[in-house]
Amino acid sequence: MDPCPFVRVLVGNLALKMPAATHRGGGGGSSASGAGVHPTTAPCYCRISLNKLPYQTASAPLLPPSEEGPASCTGAFAAAFHVSKADLDRAAAKPALFAPRRTARLKVSVYAGRRGSSCGGVSSGRLLGKVVVPLDLKAAAAKPVVFHSGWVAIGKRRGAGRKPAAGGGGAAAGNAHAQLNLTVRAEPDPRFVFEFDGEPECSPQVLQVQGRMKQPMFTCKFSCRSNSDLRSRSVQSDPGSGGRNWLAKFGSERERMGKERKGWSVTVHDLSGSPVALASMVTPFVASPGTDRVSRSNPGGWLILRPVDGTWTPWGRLECWRERGGGGAGGDSLGYRFELVPDHTNSGVGVCVAESAVSASKGGRFAIDLTAAQPFGRSGSPGCSPRGSGDFGHGLWPFGSFRGFVMSAAVQGEGRCSKPTVEVGVAHVGCAEDAAAFVALAAAVDLSMDACRLFSCKLRRELSASRAELLR
C-alpha cells in the first residue's frame, strides 16, 4: 500500500506582550494600536486561518511588559491544519499569465476581549493586529519546515499614520506596539486513503485511493441479526472457540420491547475473503422514555473487533446518540465517543480518544486527532512524533501507540447518499488488518447516523431486520 502525501501545519507557543506605555494616560488621542489594554486585566485570543480552511481560535497568554528577552517556550498547542494532496497540487501549480502566484498564507488575527461572537458572526473582541506568514507547502511535503519562531510586532498599520507632535518621544511612540510570539511549522503527514464505493448497508467494496488511481482493497458485508447470534460467532464460525465472551459483556440487557434498532454488523474482508475486522452493534439504539430520540444518557454502542487466534477480540468501543442543537441553524447533531478497550491501552480501563459531534443534517467529519494532547515543542521534531521531543514513552502516554493525527472519516447528513472516505495516518498502519479496523469504525459511525434518526422517521429497506432475514 502506498500512501497519499499530506502536510500538517502546526501553530503554537502563542504569547502576547503589551508595551508598558499602553496603559498610561497620554496627552491627546490614543497612540499605539493596543492602547488601553492592560496586560493583567484584558484577556486576548487569536483567530488563526490558512487559506480557505475553517479558522480556529486559541488563547494568547499575556506576559509582563517588563520581560525583555525572548519568551520561554510555553509548549502550548494552538491550531493544526491538514492539507491534502489536491491542496498541495494547487499550491504548487504554475500561475496563469498575469495571475498572482498561489501561495499558502497563514493569518493570525489578535483580539482583546473574551472569545465569542456577536450577531451576524462578527467577532466580539477588539482587533489589535494581524500577522501573515507565507508557507511553502511544497517544501514541507518532503521534510519538516519551521516557517517562523519568535516575536513579531502587530498593529503597525494602525499606528502608522499617527506621528507624535513636534518634540521628543518619537522613538518611544514608534516602538509602542504589541508583540506576538508564535511558532509556525509544517511537516509531512502521509496517509492511506480509502473510499467506500457504496453505502455501508449495501455491502460495498472499499477502494484504496492513490491520486487518480483506485484499486479494490476490502469488501464489506452488512448484516442485521440478533445479538445472541453474534455472540456465538467467531472468525472461523466456530461456536466453541473459547476466549473471553466480550460480546456478552458489552451487549447489555437493555434490549427490550419498544422502539429500538439493534443487531447491525459490518464485516470487513480482505481480497482473499478472510474476515479482518468487524463492527458489531452490541448495545441497541433505544428511544428514551417519552421521546423518539436516542439520548446521551442512554447511547447506542458498537464494538470494533479484530481477529486474534481465530476469535474476535475487541479493539475499540463507539457510542453514539442524538443531541438537540449544535448541528447548525438550530438542527440536531450526532454525538459520538470512541475509546480503546483495556487490552489496547496501558491501563485497566478504556481510554477515550475521540469525543465530539457532527451535524445531523449537513454531516461532517469523525476524527481521532491527538495532536493537541501533547506539548508543542519549538524544535523541528514534532511533539506528536514517536521520536519527537514530546515522546513520553508507552508507559506514560495514556493513548498507547496513538499519537498525532490517527484517522478521519467523512460523514454525510441524514437522507444523503453516503460513501465514506477514510484517511488513516501511516504511523498507525503496520499491515492491511490495521487499516481494516479503521474502515470498520468508519462504517459504524456512518450507520450510527441512521441508527440515531428520530424514531418517527422510517429507516431504509436495507436496514430492516425483516428484509435481512429474507436474504439469509
Side-chain angles (χ1 to χ4, degrees):
M1 299 192 300
D2 295 325
C4 294
F6 277 75
V7 167
R8 180 171 53 178
V9 179
L10 302 173
V11 183
N13 293 330
L14 293 180
L16 191 63
K17 189 159 56 175
M18 309 298 294
T22 57
H23 64 275
R24 298 173 186 167
S30 61
S31 56
S33 62
V37 179
H38 194 283
T40 60
T41 60
C44 295
Y45 66 94
C46 296
R47 175 170 159 170
I48 308 167
S49 60
L50 175 62
N51 289 4
K52 296 182 180 180
L53 296 176
Y55 73 85
Q56 302 176 39
T57 59
S59 298
L62 287 160
L63 300 182
S66 59
E67 188 169 323
E68 296 294 338
S72 60
C73 176
T74 62
F77 165 85
F81 297 93
H82 306 277
V83 184
S84 66
K85 183 181 185 302
D87 295 327
L88 291 173
D89 291 342
R90 281 192 291 268
K94 292 183 179 180
L97 189 62
F98 304 118
R101 180 177 177 84
R102 296 185 180 96
T103 304
R105 291 158 55 91
L106 181 87
K107 183 166 70 174
V108 182
S109 302
V110 185
Y111 293 87
R114 299 191 180 279
R115 290 194 225 181
S117 60
S118 57
C119 296
V122 180
S123 175
S124 60
R126 181 165 64 90
L127 180 66
L128 297 179
K130 299 179 181 179
V131 176
V132 177
V133 181
L135 308 179
D136 183 1
L137 296 181
K138 184 177 180 181
K143 62 179 181 179
V145 179
V146 178
F147 293 105
H148 179 87
S149 182
W151 292 100
V152 60
I154 61 174
K156 289 185 176 181
R157 290 185 179 179
R158 304 183 81 185
R162 300 171 178 171
K163 295 182 180 180
N175 292 328
H177 294 291
Q179 290 182 299
L180 177 70
N181 182 82
L182 78 159
T183 300
V184 180
R185 71 167 182 258
E187 58 192 26
D189 189 24
R191 304 173 186 178
F192 296 107
V193 180
F194 304 96
E195 183 180 283
F196 288 68
D197 71 352
E199 298 176 295
E201 61 268 29
C202 296
S203 299
Q205 277 192 324
V206 179
L207 311 175
Q208 184 183 1
V209 181
Q210 296 169 299
R212 296 183 179 180
M213 295 178 55
K214 298 181 180 180
Q215 59 181 358
M217 191 69 190
F218 304 107
T219 59
C220 292
K221 176 63 176 177
F222 174 80
S223 60
C224 183
R225 53 174 60 88
S226 67
N227 280 352
S228 60
D229 189 12
L230 283 171
R231 291 191 191 101
S232 65
R233 288 170 54 87
S234 70
V235 177
Q236 299 174 350
S237 298
D238 180 8
S241 59
R244 291 162 297 184
N245 198 348
W246 282 96
L247 287 173
K249 176 181 178 181
F250 284 102
S252 67
E253 299 302 324
R254 284 162 45 191
E255 297 180 39
R256 59 179 182 270
M257 298 299 294
K259 295 180 178 180
E260 60 183 9
R261 292 157 184 163
K262 62 181 181 179
W264 300 356
S265 67
V266 176
T267 308
V268 181
H269 300 82
D270 61 19
L271 296 182
S272 69
S274 301
V276 287
L278 170 65
S280 171
M281 184 188 289
V282 293
T283 303
F285 286 69
V286 183
S288 294
T291 71
D292 62 348
R293 64 179 60 229
V294 180
S295 68
R296 184 183 187 123
S297 61
N298 193 31
W302 296 79
L303 208 56
I304 313 301
L305 304 105
R306 302 184 61 180
V308 176
D309 297 329
T311 303
W312 287 119
T313 301
W315 171 70
R317 178 175 173 81
L318 173 71
E319 291 184 335
C320 294
W321 59 89
R322 189 180 183 97
E323 292 186 343
R324 295 183 185 274
D332 288 350
S333 61
L334 174 74
Y336 64 80
R337 172 186 170 90
F338 178 71
E339 66 178 27
L340 301 176
V341 298
D343 274 16
H344 292 268
T345 65
N346 294 306
S347 60
V349 296
V351 176
C352 178
V353 294
E355 184 170 6
S356 188
V358 296
S359 170
S361 59
K362 298 180 181 179
R365 296 196 76 83
F366 168 88
I368 304 176
D369 191 346
L370 302 175
T371 303
Q374 290 183 280
F376 184 91
R378 295 183 80 98
S379 66
S381 178
C384 55
S385 167
R387 294 184 175 88
S389 58
D391 182 13
F392 301 126
H394 292 282
L396 298 178
W397 182 240
F399 306 108
S401 60
F402 279 14
R403 284 171 170 77
F405 172 83
V406 180
M407 68 90 70
S408 70
V411 181
Q412 294 296 326
E414 293 176 338
R416 300 186 182 186
C417 180
S418 181
K419 300 178 181 179
T421 298
V422 187
E423 298 172 6
V424 186
V426 168
H428 304 287
V429 177
C431 57
E433 289 77 7
D434 294 337
F438 292 108
V439 169
L441 174 58
V445 174
D446 187 86
L447 288 167
S448 294
M449 186 66 77
D450 288 294
C452 287
R453 290 195 72 177
L454 297 176
F455 280 84
S456 56
C457 300
K458 211 172 181 183
L459 289 180
R460 286 174 287 184
R461 292 174 53 202
E462 292 83 1
L463 298 168
S464 169
S466 59
R467 182 175 183 270
E469 289 294 328
L470 293 175
L471 297 175
R472 293 182 64 183

